[in-house]
Structures are given as C-alpha cells and as structure tokens.
Amino acid sequence: MLSNRKALWTLVIVANLAAASSVQAQYDTVYPAAMQPFTDVNLENYDFQWFAPPITEQYGQDTIDPNTGIFFEYHRLFMNVSRGHNVEGGFNGDATYGNRVDFGFMTEEDSGWLFSGWRLDGPAYDLVNRGDLNSFEGNRTWRLPQFYEGFWMEPMVGLRFTQFNDKTNPFIFMQNNMLLGQVGTRVFSHRGQWTLKSELRAFAGNNWVYRGDIGDYSNAVIGGEFALGAAYHLTREISIDVSWNTLYFGKGVGRDPIAIFDSQEMAVTGVAFGVTLNR
C-alpha cells in the first residue's frame, strides 16, 4: 500500500511539472529563460579550466564575476537530531553522520536550477532516538544584479520531499512523508581566494504519517533551513568549504506511535565539510 501511495504522488508531481512547463513556455520570448524549465545549457560556451589559478581581488573590490555553467557540491555531514518529546530527555539531541549532494546549473542569462539531496543514517540510540532521514529538492533559481561591495543574491522557489523514519519504538514504525513547497535565497561574496556564503529557505506543506497497523493520519508542516559558511578556492573552479547547517520543522512531525495525531517539532543541526566544483 505504501509503495502504491509513493508511486501515485510521484506521478502527480511529474504531471504538474510537465503541465507547468507547457503552459509557461509561451512567456519565454518576453522573459528569456525566466519561466521555461530546464533551459538548454550550451556547454561549448563555458570555459571549464578546473586547475586554472584562482581569480583573486583585494577585499572590497567587486570585479570578480560569479561562475556560470554546471556545478556540483559534495558534503559530509556531522549532525545532531533532536529527540522526540515522548522519550526521556526530550528536546535533547543525538549525533549522526550523513551525506549531501548539490548540483545544477546557472546560465549566462542569470537563471538556472538547483537540486539537492540529503541522507542521514541515524541517530541510532535504541529506545531513545533511532531513525533516518532522506530529503530531495528541486529549485528554480535566478541571479540578481550585483549588490554593493560585490555581494550577489540568488532567489529560489521549489519543491521538497523529506522522509523521516522514526524507529525509536522497536515495535511500531513511524514514517513521515513530507511534501513541501519552499522559497529561499542564496547570498555570497568573493573575497580573494575566499567565498563567504549563506542560504535561507522557508517551507510549508503536508506530512502523511504512516505507523504500522495502528492508523495513518496527516499533519500540516512548517519550517525552514539555514546555512552559513565559507569556501577556499584551490583553483579557479575547485574549492573546499565548511558550513553550519540547520534544518528545522516547527510542527507536524509524527514521532510518538501511541499518541493520536501526534505533531512535534524537530531540529537537525550541525557541520558540513565538502568540495565544490564551479560554483
């Protein structure tokens, strides 16, 4: 039954995206690349030189142009996942590890796409805090004209699917399936061989909670994501970075398998280390 529900929601999402692409394509001649999903990326126009020396300027100058073309990021996550309110030590958290991959592109017309996937393998503390998290999102992005002192802003609007499986109770499996609409922005600035960056997202949607044979229900979900970090450019298009990330659900997460229509908050926060190509 659960696999049928997932397949149905996948078909609904794909159908809506396809319909939106067809309806909005007519606006492409007025607003080039603004409304047409998956704008063609002409790789021949992008001068990828992975090991070229980094472009540097003195602090305060704003002559470094941001990269365009395809980009890729990988991060290793060291996160803390809050406990459910129904267990001892509620509001505390427990450590776990995971991975995050971001990829997409930005055209020379200052529009593009960003896709991001999370996977946390824990926490893994029996009877206290056990579970795993998967999240995938797709965002339409734009790049605004440069701000004062070389700051750039990239607004985004998109769709996120997040699944959190709470396995704290060994007899009753709690699965949260959250379909969320979101808006956000990325702000960054190049300073010599450094890039300072921050990301902010706000999301809301619905959570379908499945819990064995006891009975399923749904909750409204609201929350957001925040990240603040810095990257050091080893070459023109390769950098290593570190950031602080927080994913927060203000309400709507089911974690108590006994309570009726359980709706809790949950926070996932910690450090990410990784490598970035052409972003």
Side-chain angles (χ1 to χ4, degrees):
M1 178 64 69
L2 180 58
S3 61
N4 292 337
R5 287 172 175 167
K6 290 183 178 179
L8 178 59
W9 275 108
T10 301
L11 290 174
V12 170
I13 294 170
V14 171
N16 277 275
L17 289 176
S21 174
S22 176
V23 172
Q24 299 295 347
Q26 59 182 310
Y27 295 103
D28 189 55
T29 56
V30 180
Y31 304 102
M35 300 301 295
Q36 182 179 347
F38 307 110
T39 304
D40 290 338
V41 181
N42 187 358
L43 294 180
E44 295 180 357
N45 291 336
Y46 297 110
D47 181 24
F48 292 113
Q49 298 184 32
W50 301 112
F51 301 103
I55 301 174
T56 61
E57 297 289 348
Q58 295 298 319
Y59 183 86
Q61 294 184 353
D62 57 358
T63 58
I64 304 177
D65 293 329
N67 292 343
T68 58
I70 294 175
F71 61 83
F72 175 84
E73 297 183 338
Y74 167 77
H75 289 91
R76 182 63 171 167
L77 306 176
F78 302 88
M79 311 300 285
N80 183 282
V81 180
S82 62
R83 299 177 183 176
H85 301 170
N86 49 297
V87 301
E88 183 179 356
F91 297 102
N92 292 328
D94 299 287
T96 186
Y97 301 93
N99 300 283
R100 176 171 181 163
V101 173
D102 297 81
F103 62 95
F105 64 86
M106 178 63 69
T107 69
E108 294 180 351
E109 289 74 30
D110 294 330
S111 63
W113 285 86
L114 165 65
F115 302 94
S116 179
W118 282 52
R119 168 66 184 179
L120 295 182
D121 298 320
Y125 295 89
D126 291 331
L127 303 179
V128 176
N129 195 7
R130 173 176 285 274
D132 59 70
L133 183 143
N134 300 281
S135 181
F136 181 80
E137 64 183 89
N139 301 282
R140 187 65 163 138
T141 63
W142 296 267
R143 180 174 289 161
L144 301 182
Q146 190 180 60
F147 288 91
Y148 177 72
E149 293 290 0
F151 280 90
W152 299 83
M153 180 178 291
E154 295 178 351
M156 67 183 77
V157 58
L159 195 66
R160 177 196 293 257
F161 176 77
T162 300
Q163 182 183 80
F164 178 70
N165 301 308
D166 194 314
K167 307 172 185 177
T168 304
N169 187 310
F171 304 105
I172 304 176
F173 178 73
M174 295 282 290
Q175 185 178 77
N176 296 267
N177 298 278
M178 294 169 269
L179 185 61
L180 310 165
Q182 65 180 12
V183 295
T185 188
R186 177 175 181 258
V187 179
F188 63 97
S189 177
H190 297 298
R191 303 297 182 184
Q193 288 185 238
W194 291 91
T195 295
L196 309 178
K197 57 184 181 177
S198 177
E199 293 190 22
L200 178 66
R201 295 168 174 80
F203 52 72
N206 197 71
N207 179 17
W208 289 267
V209 184
Y210 306 127
R211 49 178 183 174
D213 298 327
I214 295 180
D216 305 333
Y217 63 94
S218 63
N219 285 331
V221 179
I222 58 172
E225 181 181 348
F226 175 75
L228 182 65
Y232 181 79
H233 290 264
L234 302 175
T235 70
R236 194 182 78 176
E237 293 163 358
I238 300 177
S239 62
I240 56 175
D241 63 275
V242 59
S243 63
W244 183 270
N245 291 64
T246 297
L247 180 63
Y248 177 70
F249 301 90
K251 58 173 291 187
V253 180
R255 305 197 66 179
D256 187 345
I258 306 302
I260 300 176
F261 303 117
D262 180 45
S263 177
Q264 299 189 25
E265 64 178 335
M266 186 177 77
V268 180
T269 184
V271 180
F273 298 92
V275 60
T276 298
L277 304 179
N278 195 44
R279 194 182 190 197

